Amino acid sequence: MGLKLDAATPPGAASDARPTVEALRRSFDKRLTAPVSFRREQLRALGRAIESREQDLLDALHEDLRKPPMEAYASELGFVQSDIAHTLRHLDRWTRPRRASTPLVAWPGRSRVMPEPFGVALIVGPWNYPFQLLLSPLVAALAAGNVACLKPSELAPNTSATVARLVRDTFAPDYVAVVEGGQVVSEALLHERFDYIFFTGSTTVGRAVMRAAAEHLTPVTLELGGKSPCIVCADADLEVSARRIVWGKFMNAGQTCVAPDFILADRRIKAPLLEAIQRAIRQFYGDSPRDSADYGRIVNDRHFARIVGYLPQGRIVQGGDHDVRDRFIAPTVMVDVDPAAPVMREEIFGPVLPVLEFEEIEDALALLRDRPKPLALYLFTRDRAVEEIVSAQTSSGGMCVNDVISHMLGKDVPFGGVGESGMGAYHGKAGFDTFTHYKPVLRRAWTPDFSLRYPPFKLSRRWLKFIYNWLMG
């Protein structure tokens, strides 16, 4: 993996990688993070820091992505604060050793499972939710007793700088460190040995992260993306479906990893569904979304050009207007799209919504089977039998029926991908488990010490099988 300097990399940032990781490792080796009381205080300190810098963070998110304050708080700051609160409520139970059964062959003895931290964790965040998707994994890592190195996305520079200041003012640098910069910094960090890597971003970069982790046999969680389909059946409530789809699709100007990427609509209700979607867009953003205080912008010119390139690949029935100077792309709905077109093969990650149709539910499922497993699958129907069919015959990171995105909000259900949409999961206990090694511990008594297990062996194989099966259950 060749290193190359880029403009987003501060001078000397890449050379900071090794001393930063070494300082974190020395700190972890002192086991200062082991007491649950220490972890609690650090999580509380993080919560207080977020609250005291709330306006600075909201301003940074608006500067980077034009995020409306209400949306930014609900999807970024509030999300992390709820993670902290949930973790503090359950941390004592999560960290408690668990008794386990002991086979007769190890009698007399007692077994237990000890949760222990991996050690030094690297958390690489994306640009689309540059606060939540960096800090939410940090909450889990600290709860599990790890130390952490954070790499914010350079594509959201204001949020990156604000988070860096927050972390440096809140934590000791050998407990939680922030390394800012571009590609060269990311590559320099990936050359170092970590005990766990948590990456959120594109599938392409996820493959590079996994290759780098393999050099040190470092376990990874990859939170990636993909084309999350949205199936709307003929019996769905079209007005409610349209509002929920429009909300999830055009939040953050479509730059959401679990946003509905395209719609598969039953042919019988395609036309009224399109009308309901158009009404919902006008209801949310007015006749001129450019002037709406509740509609964001594309992160940079490169992504703007990529998304605009999709517009000629279908017939636009809503939106389509755009302005490169403002990085504005209107909420756009398109039909008559070739399923083989790039807009149907690549993750859109922007405010463009293709709508295709199907005759029978099996036709929709056949189209999905030919594609990589998505991060989310959405189904709108009243029919429980159809729900069971879709659930049984598809695979996705998560599934949501009669809504979008809400499945990732629960703290008691894991969130993550499968196949090309990722591996591993987090949120709540699943996040604690991700950053935890569960170590089995067996304690044997000194006596009795049966000679049967020691050479020279005196039993026949038949007796050995009988005794072994009895002792091992």
Side-chain angles (χ1 to χ4, degrees):
M1 167 184 317
L3 297 182
K4 58 182 181 181
L5 293 174
D6 58 72
T9 302
S15 62
D16 290 343
R18 179 153 298 172
T20 297
V21 177
E22 289 175 348
L24 290 167
R25 190 167 300 285
R26 287 193 300 270
S27 174
F28 179 76
D29 288 344
K30 297 175 184 176
R31 293 300 189 265
L32 299 177
T33 65
V36 176
S37 58
F38 174 85
R39 306 181 199 181
R40 283 185 168 279
E41 182 48 43
Q42 303 310 308
L43 290 171
R44 291 193 186 102
L46 178 59
R48 291 192 296 268
I50 295 170
E51 185 174 2
S52 67
R53 291 166 171 80
E54 180 177 305
Q55 192 58 51
D56 291 342
L57 290 163
L58 294 176
D59 290 344
L61 290 163
H62 187 270
E63 191 70 23
D64 287 330
L65 289 151
R66 199 79 66 86
K67 288 204 179 195
M70 295 292 288
E71 179 185 303
Y73 184 85
S75 64
E76 302 253 22
L77 280 65
F79 194 101
V80 176
Q81 290 285 43
S82 71
D83 273 351
I84 294 172
H86 180 83
T87 299
L88 288 172
R89 281 197 299 272
H90 297 281
L91 191 58
D92 285 343
R93 179 167 57 86
W94 293 350
T95 55
R96 196 174 298 140
R98 173 175 59 84
R99 290 190 62 177
S101 62
T102 302
L104 282 173
V105 71
W107 181 88
R110 299 184 69 179
S111 299
R112 56 184 174 153
V113 178
M114 302 282 294
E116 66 175 20
F118 277 103
V120 183
L122 171 64
I123 301 173
V124 182
W127 54 262
N128 60 324
Y129 290 86
F131 184 81
Q132 182 219 131
L133 297 180
L134 185 71
L135 273 292
S136 185
L138 176 66
V139 171
L142 299 187
N146 299 274
V147 299
C149 178
L150 303 181
K151 168 58 181 70
S153 173
E154 71 280 8
L155 300 185
N158 296 283
T159 308
S160 175
T162 305
V163 167
R165 287 193 297 271
L166 181 153
V167 169
R168 288 165 186 154
D169 291 345
T170 306
F171 302 115
D174 59 354
Y175 176 51
V176 182
V178 177
V179 180
E180 293 186 272
Q183 179 182 331
V184 64
V185 170
S186 298
E187 293 179 347
L189 284 169
L190 289 172
H191 279 300
E192 300 302 317
R193 179 174 68 87
F194 288 91
D195 300 301
Y196 204 93
I197 295 176
F198 191 107
F199 170 81
T200 304
S202 71
T203 302
T204 299
V205 180
R207 290 190 177 96
V209 170
M210 197 167 181
R211 283 193 295 269
E215 290 296 317
H216 300 289
L217 297 180
T218 301
V220 298
T221 289
L222 302 178
E223 295 295 344
L224 308 176
K227 296 186 70 64
S228 296
C230 183
I231 303 172
V232 182
C233 296
D235 63 342
D237 184 317
L238 298 187
E239 293 296 329
V240 174
S241 300
R243 285 196 298 270
R244 293 177 180 179
I245 293 168
V246 167
W247 169 77
K249 175 61 180 180
F250 299 113
M251 176 195 304
N252 198 27
Q255 299 165 118
T256 302
C257 59
V258 288
D261 197 87
F262 63 95
I263 292 177
L264 293 174
D266 187 296
R267 180 182 55 80
R268 292 168 291 178
I269 52 88
K270 179 183 174 185
L273 175 65
L274 287 169
E275 294 171 0
I277 288 173
Q278 291 171 304
R279 284 193 295 272
I281 292 173
R282 289 193 297 271
Q283 178 186 349
F284 293 175
Y285 306 115
D287 293 329
S288 177
R290 182 198 301 267
D291 301 322
S292 171
D294 298 312
Y295 188 68
R297 295 297 185 268
I298 306 305
V299 66
N300 59 27
D301 292 344
R302 180 171 65 86
H303 282 284
F304 178 90
R306 177 185 61 80
I307 297 166
V308 168
Y310 294 133
L311 297 181
Q313 297 175 21
R315 179 168 61 86
I316 294 173
V317 295
Q318 173 71 34
D321 48 318
H322 51 278
D323 181 354
V324 66
R325 292 170 300 177
D326 193 29
R327 297 202 303 273
F328 165 79
I329 301 176
T332 299
V333 182
M334 59 199 313
V335 296
D336 300 338
V337 180
D338 184 344
V343 74
M344 287 299 297
R345 289 189 285 104
E346 302 163 1
E347 185 177 13
I348 297 171
F349 223 66
V352 176
L353 181 61
V355 180
L356 287 73
E357 63 182 49
F358 65 88
E359 293 278 349
E360 304 290 341
I361 191 65
E362 181 55 41
D363 300 329
L365 297 179
L367 185 146
L368 298 183
R369 288 191 201 102
D370 291 336
R371 296 168 182 265
K373 298 176 181 179
L375 185 56
L377 186 147
Y378 302 118
L379 172 67
F380 288 82
T381 184
R382 288 185 169 92
D383 193 329
R384 289 295 183 91
V386 171
E387 178 182 334
E388 291 301 319
I389 290 170
V390 174
S391 178
Q393 298 189 20
T394 61
S395 178
S396 57
M399 179 174 169
C400 196
V401 182
N402 298 332
D403 201 0
V404 300
I405 296 180
S406 298
H407 68 289
M408 66 170 288
L409 302 179
K411 304 302 182 187
D412 291 327
V413 291
F415 171 74
V418 61
E420 290 195 17
S421 62
M423 62 179 66
Y426 70 125
H427 290 179
K429 178 63 160 51
F432 180 87
D433 292 343
T434 286
F435 287 98
T436 297
H437 167 61
Y438 286 92
K439 179 173 67 179
V441 179
L442 168 68
R443 187 178 188 277
R444 285 285 311 270
W446 292 104
T447 57
D449 190 36
F450 298 109
S451 62
L452 285 175
R453 74 174 186 177
Y454 302 121
F457 300 112
K458 304 176 180 65
L459 291 176
S460 67
R461 189 184 303 173
R462 185 169 70 87
W463 275 104
L464 174 63
K465 289 180 179 180
F466 174 79
I467 294 173
Y468 188 86
N469 290 333
W470 176 64
L471 291 175
M472 294 298 290

